[in-house]
Amino acid sequence: MTLTILFAAGDGDFAEYAPHLNAALSEAQLEAEIVTEALPASVDFIIYAPANPLRDFSPFTRCKAVLSLWAGVERIVGNPTLTQPLARMVDPALTKGMVEYVTGHVLRYHLGIDTHIHARPGDWVHAPPPLASARVVGFLGLGALGQACAEALSYLGFQVIGWSRSPKTLPRVICHHGDAGLQTVLEQSDILVTLLPRTPETENLLDAHRFAWCRPGLCLINPGRGALIEDAALIEALDAGAVQHATLDVFRTEPLPKDHPFWHHPKVTVTPHIAAATRAETAAQVIVENIIRVQRGEPLLHAVCRARGY
Ligand code: NAP
């Protein structure tokens, strides 16, 4: 029987994804048709991104799984009409992109690159930076992305520590969990990278109280979600010098409004949600692998837990 796969993402996405999805489906010898419109009761799988207007999943009575093109699922996980299993995106190319973004921005802080970019003629201060082994990089979030970035930085020689909801043991990373673990990571990190999902528990995690725990002069990199940080508390911490500089890729409102203080703050670098994108070629493989698994009665890869919200 031919499977009907509804592609419900952004307007321009179908043209980019369809050839890769079709190639992966035919390689897997799965008979399937990918469509952008279908009778809901005829749909077997939905490939989804919130850029699509689809919000009511209840008519999709035959649908066996909703496969997100996005790693972050906060805009869909609480949808009460979504009773089908949901998988988030873990795309090896997206992960590589995040490793490159985080490594680049950590090295910017570690090497003090801005000092040299902004140097005036005659600014000859011979002060070589310390080696990476003298610097602690902390990760809030040790999931698919946090772990890959932590591993890359540990290979560069940084001391890497991290924090997650559940206890973990990872090579070359000192792992913490719980409230005490969060305080330890904030107290010890010279550079902090936030790669947590947005959930009710992580919203406003970095507030004035938590900024007070941070090592003075902390540099912050947030490619996770804007809502992890209380904007006003960060600006206060930057103004007070408690946080030296912040590189922010994600915001409560995107695009970041032109008049938002982050655009104008001298200690903030704004990047426009470009840290890591899902890449059609590799994501198509992940999606088709999940379709195969469901067809075989095997559990979904990267299944979202609704109770946890990620
Ligand atoms: P993931 O694999 O689900 O990992 C999430 C990590 O956060 C896990 O280590 C989890 O702990 C931890 N966590 C969740 N809730 C927590 C809590 N209340 N307290 C402590 N730790 C908690 O997610 P991922 O694939 O690494 O992605 C992380 C986030 O990156 C996404 O949700 C998305 O928001 C963001 N993202 C941004 C971009 C971009 O371009 N800027 C691109 C992709 C993704 P456990 O390990 O114990 O479960």
Side-chain angles (χ1 to χ4, degrees):
M1 196 194 67
T2 305
L3 296 173
T4 301
I5 302 173
L6 178 66
F7 188 89
D11 279 345
D13 292 338
F14 186 67
E16 187 190 357
Y17 276 85
H20 297 295
L21 286 165
N22 281 319
L25 286 165
S26 92
E27 197 178 315
Q29 295 180 335
L30 265 185
E31 256 185 60
E33 193 187 11
I34 310 169
V35 295
T36 51
E37 281 177 23
L39 281 177
S42 70
V43 169
D44 296 291
F45 291 92
I46 301 176
I47 299 172
Y48 183 75
N52 193 272
L54 172 59
R55 296 290 178 270
D56 182 6
F57 293 86
S58 54
F60 295 90
T61 46
R62 195 165 98 182
C63 175
K64 295 175 202 152
V66 174
L67 307 166
S68 172
L69 286 181
W70 290 13
V73 289
E74 71 276 8
R75 284 171 64 181
I76 184 178
V77 68
N79 183 328
T81 70
L82 178 71
T83 52
Q84 300 85 349
L86 171 66
R88 65 197 187 81
M89 178 50 67
V90 177
D91 162 26
L94 181 151
T95 304
K96 279 187 189 154
M98 187 61 84
V99 169
E100 291 177 13
Y101 177 94
V102 168
T103 305
H105 288 279
V106 164
L107 287 175
R108 170 192 176 190
Y109 288 135
H110 168 59
L111 297 174
I113 287 173
D114 287 27
T115 310
H116 308 293
I117 289 174
H118 300 301
R120 289 157 308 173
D123 278 352
W124 187 272
V125 181
H126 182 74
L131 290 177
S133 55
R135 209 80 86 172
V136 179
V137 182
F139 282 86
L140 301 186
L142 287 172
L145 299 176
Q147 279 188 34
C149 297
E151 186 184 30
L153 290 168
S154 75
Y155 281 125
L156 285 179
F158 288 99
Q159 296 177 48
V160 183
I161 60 176
W163 182 72
S164 55
R165 194 183 47 81
S166 54
K168 283 199 195 316
T169 308
L170 298 173
R172 295 176 300 279
V173 180
I174 298 174
C175 300
H176 298 271
H177 65 281
D179 277 355
L182 176 60
Q183 184 161 357
T184 303
V185 171
L186 295 183
E187 283 173 354
Q188 294 184 355
S189 299
D190 297 303
I191 301 170
L192 184 73
V193 183
T194 43
L195 273 169
L196 293 161
R198 178 182 184 170
T199 70
E201 284 75 40
T202 62
E203 180 133 14
N204 290 325
L205 185 82
L206 291 182
D207 58 6
H209 177 63
R210 265 50 175 273
F211 278 124
W213 289 350
C214 291
R215 180 177 268 200
L218 172 85
C219 292
L220 175 67
I221 301 169
N222 181 23
R225 280 294 179 261
L228 304 177
I229 298 173
E230 214 178 72
D231 293 5
L234 173 58
I235 287 171
E236 255 175 55
L238 287 161
D239 289 342
V243 174
Q244 193 185 125
H245 199 276
T247 296
L248 309 174
D249 186 55
V250 281
F251 306 91
R252 285 165 193 276
T253 306
E254 294 184 7
L256 184 65
K258 261 189 182 165
D259 58 352
H260 194 286
F262 286 156
W263 278 120
H264 308 284
H265 202 288
K267 296 180 182 174
V268 175
T269 297
V270 169
T271 60
H273 202 144
I274 43 81
T278 306
R279 312 284 165 157
E281 188 173 355
T282 40
Q285 309 277 345
V286 177
I287 282 175
V288 170
E289 190 180 345
N290 251 340
I291 292 173
I292 295 169
R293 291 175 73 93
V294 173
Q295 289 301 96
R296 286 189 189 142
E298 294 169 9
L300 272 180
L301 292 174
H302 321 305
V304 170
C305 167
R306 270 150 234 247
R308 289 191 325 223
Y310 68 98

